[in-house]
Structures are given as structure tokens and as C-alpha cells.
Amino acid sequence: LQSGGAAGANQLGGIDFYAGGEGTDSPKYYFDDVYYDLAVTTLYEDDFEAYTTGGYIAEQNPEWWTTWSGTVGGGEDGMISEDVAMSGAKSVLIDETGGATDLLWLLGDKVSGAFDVNFYMYVPTGYCGYYNFQHMEAPGVEWAFEMYFHTDGTCKFLIAGETLEDYTYAHDTWIYCEHNIDLDNDVAKLYLDGEMIKEWQWSLQSGG
């Protein structure tokens, strides 16, 4: 469909960056860092609405989820919660109830290709958050990088031997965590709420 609603071609042609405006608006703007990529098939997407509230994600979907020890359906597993949600009514809770949650999202031990691994994260006031990426599905072999969201609103990121601490985050809001991982070129990029935090050599471990 065309912008006015008329039938048009199912085709992608181009973008016009025009110094135009409506009424008395004076045009002036900038653009930078253009990126045009071929979108690939979504491997896995989940809003967790199909799962039983109070149940556990790895127990209900073992194809994509497990725990650090491999034990599912208990305190180490991620509980389906209706406390808060980015969309719908449900999300996955990571806390210390019944034992510290240690949930693993299984990404398949990929060795080639480029991947986007993204999710929203919500940390309530008075609490902290943490996650890490692993190079292998087998836990504890290699930490790719680590992300700390401290209770005081500061962050610490351990990436390729660097400690990044010049960032803050807001409690009680959903943070969009984006990870672009290009195995073919051995490069990764981390974004929080659209801000690029770091680009680095993916094969390096968090300690360098």
C-alpha cells in the first residue's frame, strides 16, 4: 500500500532524505551510521503468554530453556509471573525464592552466521539484575561477557577484558537489551535502549 492508501508494488526501492517540512517548519537534521541487512528467519520468539502462571519455563519448554545444573521445575528454574509484563500479562521471574534462579536460554552452539539476541529486562526498585552470555551451551566453559545492574542504578559490564562502569539504568522500567553477534566476522555489538555500549571481538571472553 502507498502512503495515501492506494494499491502499490510489494517492493523495496529506496529512502528519500528530504529537506522538507510542513507549514513554516524549517528543515534541518542529521543521520549517521546507516545499516542495511538481509533479515533472516526468526529462530525463537516468546512472550511467555502460553505458559502456566506459577509454573517454570524450562520445565514447560525444555527445547529452549534449562538451568545451570540441569534441574528444572524448582527454585533454579525461571518462574512464569504476572507481577509485571512488557506485553500481555506474563514474564519470567529471576529471584532467590526457593534458591537462586540460574536459568539458561539455549542458543544452539552456533559457529557461523549473524544473530540478534534481544530481550526486555525490568529491575524493581531496591533490587539488582545480572546476566551473562556463554560461548557454549554447556555452562561455565567460557563467559563471553557479563552485565551487572546494581541496586543503586549504576551498571558494570565486563566485556573483552574491559570493565565499563560509566552507565546507569532506571528501575521500574523495561530496558531493551540488544545483542548483535556476527560469528562470520567475529564481532559483537551491545545496545541498551538503542544506545550502543560496546563493539568488540566476540571470541574474546569477558576477562579478555
Side-chain angles (χ1 to χ4, degrees), residues 18-30:
Y18 175 53
E22 294 187 314
T24 60
D25 286 355
S26 180
K28 182 178 182 178
Y29 64 97
Y30 306 83

PDB file of all heavy atoms in Angstrom, residues 18-30:
ATOM      1  N   TYR A  18      14.809  14.135   2.694  1.00  0.00           N
ATOM      2  CA  TYR A  18      14.429  15.378   2.025  1.00  0.00           C
ATOM      3  C   TYR A  18      14.425  16.546   3.013  1.00  0.00           C
ATOM      4  O   TYR A  18      13.935  16.416   4.144  1.00  0.00           O
ATOM      5  CB  TYR A  18      13.039  15.202   1.406  1.00  0.00           C
ATOM      6  CG  TYR A  18      12.453  16.430   0.770  1.00  0.00           C
ATOM      7  CD1 TYR A  18      13.161  17.152  -0.188  1.00  0.00           C
ATOM      8  CD2 TYR A  18      11.170  16.855   1.116  1.00  0.00           C
ATOM      9  CE1 TYR A  18      12.612  18.273  -0.786  1.00  0.00           C
ATOM     10  CE2 TYR A  18      10.611  17.974   0.522  1.00  0.00           C
ATOM     11  CZ  TYR A  18      11.340  18.678  -0.431  1.00  0.00           C
ATOM     12  OH  TYR A  18      10.793  19.789  -1.016  1.00  0.00           O
ATOM     13  N   ALA A  19      14.966  17.668   2.574  1.00  0.00           N
ATOM     14  CA  ALA A  19      14.919  18.897   3.377  1.00  0.00           C
ATOM     15  C   ALA A  19      13.569  19.555   3.176  1.00  0.00           C
ATOM     16  O   ALA A  19      13.439  20.614   2.553  1.00  0.00           O
ATOM     17  CB  ALA A  19      16.049  19.835   2.991  1.00  0.00           C
ATOM     18  N   GLY A  20      12.547  18.915   3.684  1.00  0.00           N
ATOM     19  CA  GLY A  20      11.190  19.421   3.545  1.00  0.00           C
ATOM     20  C   GLY A  20      10.494  19.457   4.885  1.00  0.00           C
ATOM     21  O   GLY A  20      10.933  18.843   5.856  1.00  0.00           O
ATOM     22  N   GLY A  21       9.419  20.186   4.977  1.00  0.00           N
ATOM     23  CA  GLY A  21       8.643  20.270   6.204  1.00  0.00           C
ATOM     24  C   GLY A  21       7.254  20.767   5.904  1.00  0.00           C
ATOM     25  O   GLY A  21       6.950  21.176   4.780  1.00  0.00           O
ATOM     26  N   GLU A  22       6.391  20.745   6.891  1.00  0.00           N
ATOM     27  CA  GLU A  22       5.029  21.227   6.719  1.00  0.00           C
ATOM     28  C   GLU A  22       4.880  22.615   7.322  1.00  0.00           C
ATOM     29  O   GLU A  22       5.492  22.939   8.347  1.00  0.00           O
ATOM     30  CB  GLU A  22       4.042  20.259   7.372  1.00  0.00           C
ATOM     31  CG  GLU A  22       3.988  18.906   6.685  1.00  0.00           C
ATOM     32  CD  GLU A  22       2.891  18.022   7.224  1.00  0.00           C
ATOM     33  OE1 GLU A  22       2.758  17.939   8.461  1.00  0.00           O
ATOM     34  OE2 GLU A  22       2.170  17.433   6.410  1.00  0.00           O
ATOM     35  N   GLY A  23       4.059  23.423   6.681  1.00  0.00           N
ATOM     36  CA  GLY A  23       3.805  24.774   7.178  1.00  0.00           C
ATOM     37  C   GLY A  23       5.073  25.597   7.195  1.00  0.00           C
ATOM     38  O   GLY A  23       5.801  25.680   6.209  1.00  0.00           O
ATOM     39  N   THR A  24       5.364  26.188   8.335  1.00  0.00           N
ATOM     40  CA  THR A  24       6.543  27.046   8.482  1.00  0.00           C
ATOM     41  C   THR A  24       7.726  26.309   9.104  1.00  0.00           C
ATOM     42  O   THR A  24       8.725  26.944   9.461  1.00  0.00           O
ATOM     43  CB  THR A  24       6.196  28.271   9.341  1.00  0.00           C
ATOM     44  OG1 THR A  24       5.752  27.826  10.631  1.00  0.00           O
ATOM     45  CG2 THR A  24       5.099  29.106   8.682  1.00  0.00           C
ATOM     46  N   ASP A  25       7.622  24.978   9.255  1.00  0.00           N
ATOM     47  CA  ASP A  25       8.736  24.212   9.821  1.00  0.00           C
ATOM     48  C   ASP A  25       9.977  24.374   8.952  1.00  0.00           C
ATOM     49  O   ASP A  25       9.908  24.321   7.721  1.00  0.00           O
ATOM     50  CB  ASP A  25       8.381  22.729   9.900  1.00  0.00           C
ATOM     51  CG  ASP A  25       7.402  22.420  11.024  1.00  0.00           C
ATOM     52  OD1 ASP A  25       7.088  23.343  11.794  1.00  0.00           O
ATOM     53  OD2 ASP A  25       6.954  21.264  11.109  1.00  0.00           O
ATOM     54  N   SER A  26      11.143  24.599   9.604  1.00  0.00           N
ATOM     55  CA  SER A  26      12.410  24.764   8.892  1.00  0.00           C
ATOM     56  C   SER A  26      13.207  23.479   8.987  1.00  0.00           C
ATOM     57  O   SER A  26      13.567  23.045  10.085  1.00  0.00           O
ATOM     58  CB  SER A  26      13.201  25.923   9.497  1.00  0.00           C
ATOM     59  OG  SER A  26      14.421  26.101   8.822  1.00  0.00           O
ATOM     60  N   PRO A  27      13.479  22.818   7.856  1.00  0.00           N
ATOM     61  CA  PRO A  27      14.147  21.511   7.917  1.00  0.00           C
ATOM     62  C   PRO A  27      15.632  21.609   8.230  1.00  0.00           C
ATOM     63  O   PRO A  27      16.365  22.412   7.643  1.00  0.00           O
ATOM     64  CB  PRO A  27      13.919  20.933   6.524  1.00  0.00           C
ATOM     65  CG  PRO A  27      13.781  22.115   5.641  1.00  0.00           C
ATOM     66  CD  PRO A  27      13.123  23.184   6.470  1.00  0.00           C
ATOM     67  N   LYS A  28      16.071  20.789   9.173  1.00  0.00           N
ATOM     68  CA  LYS A  28      17.483  20.601   9.470  1.00  0.00           C
ATOM     69  C   LYS A  28      17.601  19.382  10.364  1.00  0.00           C
ATOM     70  O   LYS A  28      17.024  19.345  11.452  1.00  0.00           O
ATOM     71  CB  LYS A  28      18.091  21.814  10.166  1.00  0.00           C
ATOM     72  CG  LYS A  28      19.593  21.668  10.439  1.00  0.00           C
ATOM     73  CD  LYS A  28      20.163  22.923  11.094  1.00  0.00           C
ATOM     74  CE  LYS A  28      21.667  22.796  11.333  1.00  0.00           C
ATOM     75  NZ  LYS A  28      22.243  24.023  11.924  1.00  0.00           N
ATOM     76  N   TYR A  29      18.310  18.361   9.903  1.00  0.00           N
ATOM     77  CA  TYR A  29      18.515  17.163  10.716  1.00  0.00           C
ATOM     78  C   TYR A  29      19.740  16.430  10.205  1.00  0.00           C
ATOM     79  O   TYR A  29      20.298  16.785   9.170  1.00  0.00           O
ATOM     80  CB  TYR A  29      17.272  16.253  10.704  1.00  0.00           C
ATOM     81  CG  TYR A  29      16.899  15.649   9.360  1.00  0.00           C
ATOM     82  CD1 TYR A  29      17.299  14.360   9.024  1.00  0.00           C
ATOM     83  CD2 TYR A  29      16.130  16.361   8.442  1.00  0.00           C
ATOM     84  CE1 TYR A  29      16.955  13.793   7.795  1.00  0.00           C
ATOM     85  CE2 TYR A  29      15.770  15.804   7.216  1.00  0.00           C
ATOM     86  CZ  TYR A  29      16.185  14.528   6.896  1.00  0.00           C
ATOM     87  OH  TYR A  29      15.836  13.971   5.689  1.00  0.00           O
ATOM     88  N   TYR A  30      20.163  15.414  10.944  1.00  0.00           N
ATOM     89  CA  TYR A  30      21.368  14.656  10.615  1.00  0.00           C
ATOM     90  C   TYR A  30      21.042  13.165  10.644  1.00  0.00           C
ATOM     91  O   TYR A  30      20.163  12.728  11.387  1.00  0.00           O
ATOM     92  CB  TYR A  30      22.488  14.916  11.626  1.00  0.00           C
ATOM     93  CG  TYR A  30      22.822  16.368  11.817  1.00  0.00           C
ATOM     94  CD1 TYR A  30      22.081  17.160  12.685  1.00  0.00           C
ATOM     95  CD2 TYR A  30      23.899  16.942  11.149  1.00  0.00           C
ATOM     96  CE1 TYR A  30      22.392  18.500  12.867  1.00  0.00           C
ATOM     97  CE2 TYR A  30      24.216  18.278  11.315  1.00  0.00           C
ATOM     98  CZ  TYR A  30      23.456  19.062  12.180  1.00  0.00           C
ATOM     99  OH  TYR A  30      23.767  20.378  12.354  1.00  0.00           O
TER     100      TYR A  30
END
